[in-house]
Amino acid sequence: MLTAFGPPIDLSDLSNYIQVDTRPRRSAFVGRVSTKDHQNPSSSIPRQVTLAAQRLEPGEEFAQYYWDVESGMLPPEARGLGPREMYEALRVPTPRDGGLQDLLAHAELMGITHVLAERSDRVARAMLTSLTVEHELQKAGVEVVYANEPTGGTESGRLRTRRYGQVDAELYKIAMNEMSMGGQVQHAVGGWNHGIPPYPYVAVVDENAPPPTRGRFGEARPKKKLVPHPDVRRFDATRELCRLRREEYLKAADIIAILSADPERYPIEGQWTHNRVEGLIGNPKLTGYQVYNRKASRTGRPGYSRWNPISKWVWSPGPVHEAVVSLEQWKQAQEVTAMLQAGTEGGPLLRIQAAAGRRGLTVTLVDSTGSHTRYRIGAQQVVLPTPIPDAVAQQIIENLECAA
């Protein structure tokens, strides 16, 4: 900004009278569309380019184009990760030199001096993210310009307009999340399923549900409820799987061995895995209730979902489909799972206690030396290493079963 209080004589011939950026002006476009389904990238991105281009110098053209098709709620490190093939299939007439991550990584290297966007929420809806992007580009000597901001005036006025716009973008994001969450909660309360049906179920359209309406993004998907899978063996397999954890205190590897040994009785596509077994044991939908919000999918880490605490889960007021296990049985299984995960010693000992309990016996600690512990099982005493190896625990369980 030139000052109104200049020198008393003409000093414009001095070399440092005006600081000149020796870099040639090189502007890049940055844009974003929420999703390929809810907005049309082939029309939205070119429209954004047209609006942002109004802030180019006369005769100037964009040197590069950076744009993404994804949610503006994602942090910078999770942006621009879509495969090249996806973007090519969209047939957007605007060239694409990368996404937001590529812009941040290459701006200085490519000699970019200005980044132009239609408005701030095309960078991100979260204010912290847009501020982070601006800060990183500023460190590289890049000026960020939004086409909807006024020209001229004071820097404080321009900044006030920008920050108000970023606040509005974040408030819009929060309001949309609140409305979306409210709709998903009512969906679960009504007994309708979210996501892929668990192993013993299939999802079918609920003929008694309100008919889907056509909204902004087309016709809504029909509401579906869970019903037992046509293969009745799946219900029996799931009951046995849960029983093995609840009553036998078995770990996933032991349960997998039992299920895999009898594929006719316990059918599965592919093979039984640790994630499948633990996922079924921990799935509350097996109780006949519909449950939502078990996971937080937006964690800032691509492909990673964080488990929410049970206090945040949304349950239907009552059972809405046929149950595999009761609520009490499901809770017992979760308690056993927690004990098995608590430590290497607790798991084998719990299994021994379960086996003894089936014979009406109790397991009592007598004394311990640190490396070994003596237990009384019924009228007998045994000395076991600390911690108890799985193989030793299995041998004791087999001896108890043979004695029966």
Side-chain angles (χ1 to χ4, degrees):
M1 182 179 69
L2 296 178
T3 176
F5 303 96
I9 62 173
D10 184 10
L11 301 179
S12 60
D13 56 335
L14 296 180
S15 60
N16 64 340
Y17 180 73
I18 296 177
Q19 289 184 343
V20 179
D21 189 345
T22 57
R23 300 177 302 167
R25 181 179 170 105
R26 186 177 175 86
S27 298
F29 165 79
V30 63
R32 181 189 58 79
V33 180
S34 291
T35 70
K36 61 181 183 296
D37 298 320
H38 292 175
Q39 288 180 297
N40 186 352
S42 62
S43 60
S44 180
I45 293 298
R47 181 188 62 79
Q48 293 178 42
V49 171
T50 299
L51 292 172
Q54 296 176 7
R55 301 299 292 271
L56 291 171
E57 295 291 329
E60 183 188 10
E61 295 182 354
F62 284 118
Q64 290 185 302
Y65 298 83
Y66 297 92
W67 50 272
D68 296 314
V69 178
E70 57 198 2
S71 170
M73 303 178 191
L74 295 174
E77 65 273 12
R79 293 276 296 277
L81 301 180
R84 180 170 57 88
E85 294 76 15
M86 181 198 80
Y87 283 98
E88 291 177 349
L90 295 174
R91 299 186 181 277
V92 177
T94 303
R96 185 176 186 269
D97 297 293
L100 185 63
Q101 277 204 58
D102 300 297
L103 170 63
L104 295 175
H106 303 146
E108 187 172 12
L109 180 64
M110 301 302 295
I112 294 173
T113 60
H114 296 76
V115 167
L116 279 60
E118 175 195 2
R119 56 181 191 262
S120 64
D121 63 358
R122 293 302 182 184
V123 173
R125 289 204 178 276
M127 187 173 181
L128 177 59
T129 301
S130 59
L131 289 176
T132 300
V133 171
E134 291 176 14
H135 179 67
E136 291 300 315
L137 291 173
Q138 187 179 45
K139 289 194 300 183
V142 179
E143 181 181 351
V144 178
V145 179
Y146 299 127
N148 69 331
E149 294 179 350
T151 58
T154 63
E155 175 66 14
S156 61
R158 183 193 65 82
L159 192 60
R160 181 179 293 109
T161 300
R162 174 170 295 190
R163 296 297 179 255
Y164 282 165
Q166 290 167 327
V167 168
D168 286 341
E170 182 148 352
L171 289 175
Y172 175 83
K173 177 200 74 170
I174 294 173
M176 290 295 289
N177 279 343
E178 288 173 344
M179 289 187 288
S180 175
M181 184 64 176
Q184 298 298 335
V185 167
Q186 291 304 312
H187 187 83
V189 169
W192 297 299
N193 186 59
H194 292 84
I196 300 173
Y199 166 77
Y201 297 101
V202 293
V204 299
V205 174
D206 183 5
E207 300 295 342
N208 297 319
T213 57
R214 188 172 184 82
R216 175 186 174 191
F217 303 130
E219 188 169 320
R221 289 175 292 181
K223 298 181 182 297
K224 296 183 178 181
K225 285 196 172 185
L226 296 179
V227 298
H229 194 280
D231 189 344
V232 296
R233 295 176 298 173
R234 292 192 174 214
F235 247 62
D236 295 334
T238 307
R239 284 197 183 98
E240 178 62 11
L241 177 152
C242 294
R243 188 195 69 79
L244 291 172
R245 171 59 55 84
R246 184 179 67 253
E247 298 180 5
E248 306 282 345
Y249 289 60
L250 295 187
K251 295 182 178 179
D254 301 314
I255 295 175
I256 290 171
I258 293 172
L259 300 179
S260 301
D262 195 350
E264 286 298 319
R265 185 178 178 187
Y266 310 119
I268 187 72
E269 298 93 348
Q271 59 183 1
W272 289 101
T273 64
H274 180 277
N275 287 343
R276 279 179 167 176
V277 168
E278 293 295 347
L280 271 176
I281 292 172
N283 196 326
K285 293 182 183 181
L286 301 184
T287 64
Y289 287 77
Q290 191 56 250
V291 185
Y292 170 67
N293 200 38
R294 296 169 60 213
K295 289 184 179 181
S297 57
R298 297 192 184 279
T299 61
R301 293 173 57 187
Y304 176 79
S305 297
R306 181 183 65 248
W307 288 100
N308 286 327
I310 296 178
S311 59
K312 291 188 176 182
W313 294 3
V314 177
W315 297 69
S316 59
V320 291
H321 52 260
E322 186 174 342
V324 176
V325 295
S326 68
L327 264 174
E328 291 72 20
Q329 290 173 330
W330 180 84
K331 181 181 179 182
Q332 291 169 9
Q334 309 320 301
E335 292 170 343
V336 174
T337 297
M339 288 187 288
L340 290 174
Q341 294 174 345
T344 56
E345 180 180 359
L349 180 59
L350 287 171
R351 291 168 55 199
I352 294 172
Q353 290 173 330
R358 289 192 292 273
R359 290 197 56 212
L361 305 175
T362 58
V363 179
T364 306
L365 187 149
V366 178
D367 54 42
S368 176
T369 64
S371 62
H372 287 76
T373 303
R374 180 167 23 183
Y375 297 94
R376 178 180 292 108
I377 304 177
Q380 297 183 339
Q381 291 190 12
V382 294
V383 177
L384 303 176
T386 305
I388 305 172
D390 285 337
V392 173
Q394 187 60 34
Q395 184 61 54
I396 294 175
I397 292 171
E398 291 175 0
N399 291 341
L400 286 169
E401 291 173 348
C402 291

